[in-house]
Amino acid sequence: MPWTSSESRYSTVSVLLHWLMLILLILVYASMELRGIFPKGSGGRALIREVHYMLGLTVFVLVWFRLVARSIGPAPKIFPASPQWQTLLARVMHWLLYLFMISMPILGWLITSAEGHQVMFYGFDLPLLVHEDKALAKQVEHWHVLIGNIGYWLIGLHALAGLYHHYVVGDNTLLRMMPKRAPR
């Protein structure tokens, strides 16, 4: 599985991680949005919360692999080239998305720790980041929810930009990140 991008496409690792992380982010958001179907204190609600934690931390682990893959060689060129302001805006958007994928799991882990709960990650108990502090948990939860809401916008704008470039501008922005098709 090559880690380096070609002139026209992102590396197989980058493409795989990009789409896998999109699926994980959908599941992370869905797990919190759907928790209301279970009554508070029920096993179903506890399970969906644990799934949320585990998937969020999986995003946290995978984002570091994405950053490594990104650092190995230059990104494929956009053809025809975008205006400089769009290139700058795309860079800012990408770094905001990376910051989002790093900060949200840390904030979630911090909330859980401050609530005095252990976080399980694929069968392993993770250490508490802080001692139990309900006030701190509430403060951090405020930021976690706010940044989570901002995340909807970041992800949505990122997707819209890709579709705009593909269908309106007609450049290869989206094609660079699409999985390879098998030859017919």
Side-chain angles (χ1 to χ4, degrees):
M1 201 178 295
W3 281 76
T4 55
S5 299
S6 70
E7 289 266 329
S8 62
R9 299 182 40 75
Y10 279 99
S11 71
T12 303
V13 170
S14 292
V15 171
L16 177 67
L17 287 172
H18 177 273
W19 295 107
L20 174 61
M21 291 177 76
L22 172 63
I23 292 166
L24 288 171
L25 287 170
I26 289 168
L27 293 172
V28 166
Y29 274 110
S31 64
M32 278 296 90
E33 295 297 337
L34 297 174
R35 75 183 185 271
I37 62 175
F38 298 103
K40 286 187 178 186
S42 70
R45 192 167 180 129
L47 175 64
I48 208 162
R49 188 176 57 241
E50 292 298 323
V51 166
H52 177 78
Y53 299 158
M54 192 168 60
L55 294 176
L57 287 168
T58 302
V59 168
F60 179 74
V61 169
L62 293 178
V63 74
W64 299 103
F65 288 101
R66 284 198 66 187
L67 287 167
V68 167
R70 182 184 177 101
S71 72
I72 299 174
K77 301 250 186 273
I78 296 174
F79 184 78
S82 297
Q84 193 64 32
W85 68 269
Q86 285 183 5
T87 302
L88 177 62
L89 201 55
R91 277 196 191 109
V92 169
M93 174 62 79
H94 282 107
W95 287 110
L96 287 173
L97 284 165
Y98 285 121
L99 183 61
F100 167 76
M101 291 183 284
I102 291 168
S103 66
M104 286 298 283
I106 292 172
L107 291 173
W109 189 357
L110 193 57
I111 293 164
T112 306
S113 296
E115 289 174 341
H117 302 296
Q118 199 73 40
V119 174
M120 285 283 279
F121 186 61
Y122 296 102
F124 295 98
D125 281 331
L126 298 180
L128 298 178
L129 296 179
V130 294
H131 293 292
E132 188 171 341
D133 183 341
K134 301 290 185 187
L136 176 64
K138 278 288 183 210
Q139 283 181 311
V140 176
E141 185 175 13
H142 165 77
W143 288 104
H144 188 70
V145 169
L146 176 64
I147 295 168
N149 288 329
I150 292 168
Y152 278 117
W153 287 97
L154 289 174
I155 295 165
L157 288 171
H158 179 69
L160 282 174
L163 293 172
Y164 168 79
H165 277 272
H166 187 73
Y167 291 107
V168 178
V169 177
D171 64 22
N172 69 335
T173 297
L174 182 61
L175 295 175
R176 297 176 316 149
M177 190 52 83
M178 294 302 289
K180 279 187 184 177
R181 292 187 179 175
R184 295 181 195 219

